[in-house]
Amino acid sequence: MSVVDRQEWDVVVVGAGGAGLRAAIEARERGARTAVICKSLFGKAHTVMAEGGIAAAMANANEHDNWQVHFRDTMRGGKFLNQWRMAELHAREAPDRVWELETWGALFDRTKDGRISQRNFGGHEYPRLAHVGDRTGLELIRTLQQKIVALQQEDKKETGDYESRLKVYQECTVTRILKASDSGSAAGGSRVSGVFAYDRETGRFFVLEAPSVVVATGGIGKSFKVTSNSWEYTGDGHALALLAGAPLLNMEFVQFHPTGMVWPPSVKGILVTESVRGDGGVLRNSEGKRFMFDYIPDVFKEKYAESEEEGDRWYEDPDNNRRPPELLPRDEVARAINSEVKAGRGSPHGGVFLDVSTRMPAEVIRRRLPSMYHQFKELADVDITAEAMEVGPTCHYVMGGIAVESDTAAARGVPGLYAAGEVAGGMHGSNRLGGNSLSDLLVFGRRAGWHAAEYAAARAFERPEVSDLEVDTAAAEALRPFSAEGPVGGEEDGRPPENPYTLHQELQQTMNDLVGIIRREGEMEQALEKLAELRVRARRAGVEGHRQFNPGWHLALDLRNMLLVSECVARAALERTESRGGHTREDHPTMDRKWRNINLLCRLADPTGGLAATDPERGQIDLVRETTDPVRPDLLALFDKEELVKYLAEEELYQ
Ligand code: FAD
């Protein structure tokens, strides 16, 4: 019989980044008693690191902008693989979500006439990113936290308790989504009943029971060696959803941001914001050439400047000139940098040069890019007002994610489960445009909170039950690293346990080298073999000591998630025999229209939610192809026919 502490809520939100907080606010405002649980400190999430801004067609900097243009840019950026209804909702609703933030206390930078200022970013036809210097995410999170505190103060007045309707559990990690035990089995039943979690400081286990769970856990970057992501982005939400029975969509699409720091080694991968290029920064190779002019792909030829002069004129007169190719979507720029370095025209530390020092006065650089100025000064002793930065691609964002219904953010196949933000798939297709994540978090965070609250309200009198058996199974799984020397798979084999840090390093190296920015069939097969080996070894990942703050134990638990997610990425990348957006195959270098309407869904091979314990060498993931819904005709009509011919499959064109 389980003695794990249990608490009852209507909605549990896993993750306190922009998506999670926006979902929690919405759920609470719609009357649901809501718990937010996050792995890091409250206020520390990827969202806080967002620099460049939030994309919304507010038309403040160019009156021609509107939701239709934003929708078009987003679809082009995603190479038409976007779940189009999500792209539509996002483009339509983003301006309202930005305004709403201001009504809650955010203060964006202003134009001279007092409107919210908007800056240029790659792939956006008009200046569209509302920003607060290069610290936009900080303002976003600060505002959402302030709103949460305001709601808690209201609750205190009414109920005498700040946390009666909205409570944050910080530094707590969820390891399983629980499901109502219709069958009484360890794997649970069909609908969500809550989450199993542990407190990272004390190691104490607890259960939050709820009919609705919103997953908003962000990305997967820590599966790769060079990444802009911080320690907590181990693909937990992706894995939790898979284990609960929900499919993941198009996991092959991982975004390698073109500009991460490359030197010194200790900071390799840290992001250099796209605002540097948006504000006029240029990329040069070791010969001093602005090489991006050589890398404009056919699909974008008409939209980008042919000469440096035209590109430079665009900053002053965008209506009569075309934008410079430094502002192509991220996948294009990352590939171009990779090619320059490979051709021997890289910078001394294996990147290329990004220069603002010759493009703007020093005081403007310090005002517009304060974080970048300090980042380079303090971490690399480089003064970006006087010299060029060295930059190269870094794993940044995952476009693939939990397959959701566009309007409701409901995860497919698991009643009561919702997903929003980076962990959800579909919105960005094969490549996300900069700035479109922050707006995605708010638009779909709100929708997830709204529908999760409605779902819970409809089940107020028939709350799903959490079974003791399921809780005990989750507890045993979490405790396994403490007994890794004991029986493995039922056999006493006497070998010493594996070190989780070693396993993590090998995993990161494998993903970086074999499933990275440029992919090849043979290498991905090798990666899958290595993942199988790591999976077997990870079952023996062992830690010493006890449950009180024990980072080795935390990592041992995170390994399950990273291995699952990495397998999804590798299997899907091997299957998709074309190059599109964030997925580049050297052996299939072009985009193939036949793949335009094909989604790849990853599901857990063991449908009971177990991890194929009897044969850990067998892959854990099954891959299924699915045809996408045809794009609605009025949305297709927003594009020229000539452009559609470049993207759509033959049969779609006829339809
Ligand atoms: P996050 O903000 O990543 O939050 C995830 C939350 O989940 C955290 O609270 C974490 O603790 C919690 N969590 C994770 N696992 C668990 C678990 N097992 N149990 C409990 N809690 C868990 N996008 C833009 O649009 N514009 C930008 O300018 C921009 N700049 C960026 C700069 C950097 C350096 C980075 C890394 C990203 C940037 N992005 C930007 C991308 C954007 O910031 C992220 O995609 C976005 O913030 C993700 O938000 P989220 O709410 O989905 O998740």
Side-chain angles (χ1 to χ4, degrees):
M1 173 80 176
S2 173
V3 288
V4 171
D5 178 41
R6 297 179 182 210
Q7 295 175 31
E8 279 192 10
W9 295 91
D10 298 328
V11 174
V12 171
V13 178
V14 188
L21 295 187
R22 188 62 191 81
I25 290 167
E26 193 66 22
R28 154 64 185 77
E29 292 207 302
R30 286 176 188 263
R33 288 186 67 251
T34 302
V36 182
I37 178 165
C38 57
K39 200 166 160 173
S40 40
L41 284 167
F42 189 41
K44 159 72 190 80
H46 258 142
T47 305
V48 88
M49 295 157 73
E51 294 160 353
I54 172 165
M58 302 169 86
N60 289 350
N62 190 314
E63 61 185 5
H64 301 304
D65 203 8
N66 55 43
W67 77 261
Q68 290 93 335
V69 186
H70 193 181
F71 170 79
R72 265 201 320 246
D73 290 345
T74 302
M75 293 293 288
R76 282 180 189 135
K79 303 265 164 45
F80 269 71
L81 207 71
N82 317 57
Q83 202 151 307
W84 54 265
R85 174 66 177 156
M86 287 178 95
E88 181 195 5
L89 289 169
H90 167 257
R92 281 181 187 270
E93 295 179 4
D96 284 350
R97 298 285 75 77
V98 175
W99 276 120
E100 179 178 71
L101 281 184
E102 286 232 329
T103 66
W104 293 347
L107 192 56
F108 288 94
D109 290 350
R110 291 317 223 226
T111 59
K112 284 197 182 101
D113 59 356
R115 288 179 295 172
I116 291 177
S117 166
Q118 298 193 270
R119 62 161 48 120
N120 286 305
F121 242 56
H124 292 281
E125 186 158 344
Y126 299 117
R128 191 176 281 145
L129 268 70
H131 54 91
V132 184
D134 55 4
R135 295 180 183 137
T136 313
L138 177 64
E139 183 70 351
L140 194 147
I141 281 286
R142 188 194 66 72
T143 307
L144 295 176
Q145 279 187 310
Q146 183 176 307
K147 177 71 181 169
I148 286 198
V149 171
L151 289 170
Q152 287 177 323
Q153 283 170 343
E154 273 177 29
D155 294 342
K156 159 86 172 155
K157 265 193 215 148
E158 252 184 69
T159 68
D161 177 2
Y162 287 107
E163 294 179 330
S164 53
R165 293 179 183 144
L166 185 50
K167 175 166 173 156
V168 179
Y169 297 78
Q170 62 174 339
E171 293 198 274
C172 296
T173 300
V174 171
T175 61
R176 281 275 175 174
I177 289 166
L178 304 171
K179 291 175 53 192
S181 53
D182 311 332
S183 57
S185 78
S190 58
R191 60 197 174 104
V192 161
S193 59
V195 300
F196 180 89
Y198 69 93
D199 180 314
R200 295 173 74 83
E201 203 176 317
T202 61
R204 185 182 59 88
F205 294 144
F206 61 99
V207 167
L208 301 180
E209 297 183 1
S212 298
V213 170
V214 178
V215 181
T217 49
I220 66 164
K222 275 295 170 193
S223 300
F224 290 79
K225 189 172 171 204
V226 179
T227 177
S228 64
N229 290 192
S230 61
W231 63 270
E232 63 268 55
Y233 299 102
T234 47
D236 294 9
H238 292 79
L240 290 170
L242 259 182
L243 291 166
L248 302 187
L249 177 77
N250 293 337
M251 288 299 288
E252 63 277 33
F253 296 114
V254 176
Q255 181 170 80
F256 294 85
H257 194 291
T259 59
M261 290 177 82
V262 294
W263 187 259
S266 57
V267 300
K268 192 167 178 168
I270 289 186
L271 193 74
V272 179
T273 174
E274 193 167 324
S275 318
V276 176
R277 283 171 289 133
D279 284 358
V282 291
L283 290 164
R284 294 186 196 280
N285 63 19
S286 59
E287 296 163 1
K289 182 174 179 191
R290 263 178 84 173
F291 58 85
M292 280 309 302
F293 287 91
D294 298 339
Y295 291 94
I296 306 174
D298 283 347
V299 282
F300 291 121
K301 272 251 148 60
E302 286 139 33
K303 305 244 168 268
Y304 286 81
E306 270 165 29
S307 66
E308 291 189 28
E309 294 70 33
E310 184 186 359
D312 286 347
R313 282 198 305 270
W314 174 84
Y315 286 101
E316 298 303 324
D317 180 10
D319 290 340
N320 296 306
N321 295 285
R322 288 169 298 176
R323 55 194 20 242
E326 276 91 357
L327 292 178
L328 275 160
R330 290 174 177 174
D331 54 327
E332 310 290 354
V333 184
R335 270 192 297 271
I337 293 176
N338 199 63
S339 302
E340 286 298 303
V341 175
K342 224 169 145 189
R345 296 186 290 270
S347 64
H349 299 106
V352 293
F353 296 105
L354 173 60
D355 184 24
V356 271
S357 65
T358 55
R359 313 273 299 171
M360 280 190 265
E363 91 273 1
V364 178
I365 297 173
R366 277 195 292 266
R367 177 162 45 80
R368 288 191 65 91
L369 303 165
S371 300
M372 286 303 106
Y373 175 74
H374 289 294
Q375 184 172 308
F376 273 89
K377 197 85 194 100
E378 279 158 31
L379 300 180
D381 197 23
V382 166
D383 178 357
I384 67 168
T385 66
E387 53 194 314
M389 303 161 237
E390 274 186 77
V391 295
T394 178
C395 174
H396 183 57
Y397 184 90
V398 60
M399 275 71 67
I402 302 172
V404 290
E405 302 300 334
S406 299
D407 284 72
T408 62
R412 278 165 52 179
V414 185
L417 188 63
Y418 297 80
E422 189 168 340
V423 74
M427 159 66 209
H428 305 284
S430 65
N431 173 54
R432 172 178 72 88
L433 295 186
N436 269 2
S437 173
L438 293 188
S439 35
D440 166 6
L441 310 182
L442 297 176
V443 168
F444 293 102
R446 171 177 164 273
R447 284 180 166 270
W450 158 15
H451 292 283
E454 272 190 359
Y455 179 91
R459 276 141 200 90
F461 301 107
E462 40 160 279
R463 290 177 64 91
E465 253 182 57
V466 174
S467 81
D468 289 343
L469 179 58
E470 207 187 353
V471 173
D472 290 344
T473 307
E477 179 185 47
L479 288 173
R480 200 171 61 187
F482 289 108
S483 54
E485 269 176 302
V488 173
E491 287 167 32
E492 213 44 85
D493 66 3
R495 282 179 292 162
E498 291 277 351
N499 180 332
Y501 291 96
T502 309
L503 293 169
H504 187 208
Q505 271 171 13
E506 288 183 35
L507 170 68
Q508 289 183 314
Q509 195 74 53
T510 303
M511 292 306 285
N512 224 74
D513 295 350
L514 305 177
V515 201
I517 180 165
I518 307 292
R519 297 163 173 176
R520 301 162 191 92
E521 182 177 321
E523 290 185 353
M524 286 184 286
E525 282 166 352
Q526 244 176 288
L528 283 166
E529 278 167 31
K530 180 70 183 177
L531 289 175
E533 176 210 312
L534 289 173
R535 216 165 27 241
V536 175
R537 288 169 53 198
R539 291 176 56 76
R540 307 179 44 76
V543 291
E544 290 180 355
H546 41 70
R547 283 201 262 161
Q548 271 98 352
F549 195 79
N550 185 338
W553 177 43
H554 303 166
L555 180 61
L557 297 181
D558 293 345
L559 274 172
R560 177 201 70 188
N561 303 331
M562 286 187 277
L563 282 164
L564 267 171
V565 165
S566 299
E567 188 186 338
C568 292
V569 174
R571 280 201 193 285
L574 183 60
E575 178 83 359
R576 189 174 283 274
T577 49
E578 65 157 354
S579 292
R580 183 185 292 267
H583 171 62
T584 306
R585 292 278 303 248
E586 195 178 67
D587 44 357
H588 298 276
T590 52
M591 186 165 75
D592 182 345
R593 289 191 296 148
K594 281 200 293 265
W595 275 99
R596 205 300 300 170
N597 57 355
I598 294 176
N599 281 333
L600 294 178
L601 289 180
C602 293
R603 284 184 186 281
L604 203 64
D606 175 0
T608 65
L611 284 174
T614 45
D615 179 12
E617 276 183 59
R618 186 219 176 280
Q620 296 173 140
I621 300 300
D622 282 343
L623 201 61
V624 193
R625 288 188 187 201
E626 179 194 72
T627 309
T628 59
D629 286 342
V631 185
R632 222 174 52 220
D634 60 305
L635 295 175
L636 276 186
L638 297 172
F639 297 87
D640 290 338
K641 235 188 191 151
E642 298 75 58
E643 185 172 11
L644 292 179
V645 171
K646 295 178 195 166
Y647 291 107
L648 298 192
E650 207 67 38
E651 64 275 17
E652 294 180 283
L653 283 170
Y654 287 123
Q655 278 161 19

